[in-house]
Amino acid sequence: MSQANKTLVAPAHVGAIAPYQAGKPIEELAREFGLDPAGIVKLASNENPLGMPESARQAMLAAANALARYPDPNGFDLKAALSQRYGVPASWITLGNGSNDILELVALALLEPGSAAVYAEHAFAVYRLATQARGARHIMVAAKDHGHDLDAMLAAIDTDTRVVFIANPNNPTGTFLPGEAIARFLEQVQQAHGESVTVVLDEAYNEYLDPELRFDSVALVRRFPNLIISRTFSKAYGLAGLRVGFAVAQPALTDLLNRVRQPFNVNTLAQAAAIAALADGEFQQRSYATNKAGKAQLVAAFDALKLRYVPSYGNFVLVHVGDAASINLELLKRGVIVRPVAADGLPQWLRVSIGLPAENERFIAALTEILSA
Ligand SMILES: *Cc1c(COP(=O)(O)O)cnc(C)c1O
């Protein structure tokens, strides 16, 4: 008998994962720098600066009575509400513990060692993490103007490729691909690869798009059996802390996602709050308007400071500051948390989430002071 191995053993592909770097929590900065948490401005995680909708708070209070029971494993009521909103049967919807969970489910269902996933340089970091966690190969395609180069992504699909991830708008760059470009890409993928390659269209920031840019991605799901769209309640709906998102795909793909899904992945409070938030048109309108105004405020300041930025379609702006690490440290000392994006291959840039007018102003004042020192 061989001697038992007594050291910690993990697959090499797990050891190779560089962990996700989240935005610094307010309490952590307060501890590290001895600051008053109340004076700290956090513009680092693309959260909704309006807080959560009051309608969702009320729905959660009512749902709290049921917390001794497991959540509805099939999310019947939330799926019914989503089904009505998007005009698809409930059997086309998968609920996730945040849309991160949806991305993980895709990787779990479709990737394995020997297979590959394609995504863009500077795309959402979770595509890499989910792919690596499966021991699959990742094919990162160079960005074009900080966004996805769909022609190059099409060309990068090889015989092992099972998944293509597209973030639209993309995080952290804020770039956007119009509906026609997405539709053409899907046609090309289908022509060249049939249904052997699944395309994930991650639309976490969809609700922030100006109305004239919105396109009916659910109609694309009806046309393409290899398309999954992913949405979240974390951003425009203001429920990041609850962790709830969803996917829309045809039944065959939806069935695969549900085979690898934890039965109780979306908790009772999250389901109740999401139903309320979905119906809260007033809050959604306010989120959109606050974001649009805040974006104009930040961009005007960057113009005045002669800083380059990537025109953003999300609730954040990527701005070129040069020595981003030092400037980030100076911002932290002044109680302003933004997001360094060196890990996304953007060492000279910072990503700033759009806050309330006063929060944006705090950031602008701090940045102006730092740059003029
Ligand atoms: C924020 C974000 C998500 C999802 O976040 P969840 O909170 O897990 O729903 C997904 N994709 C992109 C591109 C994001 O920026």
Side-chain angles (χ1 to χ4, degrees):
M1 226 168 84
S2 66
Q3 202 183 341
N5 191 332
K6 290 178 179 161
T7 58
L8 183 59
V9 180
H13 63 260
V14 173
I17 295 173
Y20 183 79
Q21 294 175 347
K24 191 184 271 297
I26 287 175
E27 295 296 337
E28 187 179 306
L29 177 66
R31 276 196 304 275
E32 285 178 4
F33 286 72
L35 300 172
D36 175 6
I40 291 175
V41 169
K42 184 185 176 205
L43 302 174
S45 300
N46 300 346
E47 294 149 340
N48 196 318
L50 298 175
M52 72 170 161
E54 181 56 28
S55 56
R57 184 197 305 275
Q58 293 304 328
M60 281 190 286
L61 287 174
N65 294 321
L67 288 178
R69 306 237 178 248
Y70 281 101
D72 176 356
N74 297 312
F76 182 87
D77 291 336
L78 176 53
K79 280 190 192 173
L82 290 166
S83 165
Q84 192 170 19
R85 163 67 64 96
Y86 293 105
V88 293
S91 59
W92 289 38
I93 297 168
T94 306
L95 301 182
N97 187 275
S99 58
N100 261 286
D101 191 26
I102 298 293
L103 303 173
E104 295 279 351
L105 295 181
V106 169
L108 263 177
L110 299 172
L111 296 176
E112 61 185 328
S115 66
V118 168
Y119 56 84
E121 181 190 17
H122 314 316
F124 188 45
V126 170
Y127 309 151
R128 170 180 59 79
L129 293 170
T131 301
Q132 281 184 309
R134 297 295 293 143
R137 199 157 41 87
H138 46 115
I139 302 173
M140 190 174 80
V141 176
K144 191 166 93 182
D145 300 330
H146 294 99
H148 296 57
D149 181 345
L150 290 183
D151 291 336
M153 290 177 75
L154 179 71
I157 296 172
D158 64 12
T159 52
D160 299 330
T161 301
R162 295 289 167 267
V163 178
V164 177
F165 289 105
I166 297 173
N168 198 42
N170 184 43
N171 168 21
T173 60
T175 54
F176 174 71
L177 295 161
E180 309 84 73
I182 298 287
R184 200 170 65 96
F185 179 76
L186 289 165
E187 284 158 14
Q188 291 170 324
V189 170
Q190 194 177 51
Q191 228 159 48
H193 306 282
E195 290 169 28
S196 69
V197 175
T198 294
V199 177
V200 180
L201 186 60
D202 176 351
E203 301 187 308
Y205 301 96
N206 177 268
E207 296 80 6
Y208 289 113
L209 291 172
D210 288 335
E212 67 273 18
L213 292 175
R214 293 188 196 159
F215 62 90
D216 187 356
S217 51
V218 173
L220 293 175
V221 174
R222 288 194 198 91
R223 270 178 72 194
F224 296 99
N226 61 327
L227 174 63
I228 298 175
I229 64 174
S230 160
R231 299 274 183 98
T232 183
F233 285 91
S234 296
K235 310 282 163 56
Y237 292 101
L239 301 176
L242 278 176
R243 315 305 303 127
V244 51
F246 63 98
V248 181
Q250 290 193 20
L253 259 180
T254 300
D255 174 62
L256 287 175
L257 298 185
N258 278 285
R259 283 167 194 257
V260 294
R261 183 179 64 81
Q262 284 184 37
F264 304 109
N265 64 330
V266 181
N267 72 70
T268 302
L269 298 183
Q271 292 187 31
I275 291 166
L278 193 65
D280 194 338
E282 187 274 333
F283 183 85
Q284 285 160 44
Q285 184 52 36
R286 215 147 41 87
S287 292
Y288 169 79
T290 303
N291 190 62
K292 195 173 168 76
K295 195 181 294 178
Q297 186 186 3
L298 287 184
V299 158
F302 297 151
D303 284 337
L305 290 166
K306 300 203 161 37
L307 294 175
R308 270 197 295 143
Y309 54 88
V310 180
S312 173
Y313 294 83
N315 65 347
F316 54 88
V317 184
L318 185 72
V319 60
H320 184 272
V321 295
D323 187 356
S326 303
I327 290 177
N328 182 54
L329 180 63
E330 289 303 316
L331 285 167
L332 290 174
K333 287 182 192 164
R334 290 164 176 79
V336 177
I337 312 175
V338 300
R339 180 70 77 85
V341 283
D344 300 292
L346 297 161
Q348 300 201 317
W349 301 72
L350 292 172
R351 191 197 69 190
V352 188
S353 303
I354 296 165
L356 296 174
E359 295 173 322
N360 298 330
E361 192 43 52
R362 268 284 307 280
F363 160 72
I364 291 165
L367 183 65
T368 304
E369 181 183 281
I370 293 161
L371 291 176
S372 59

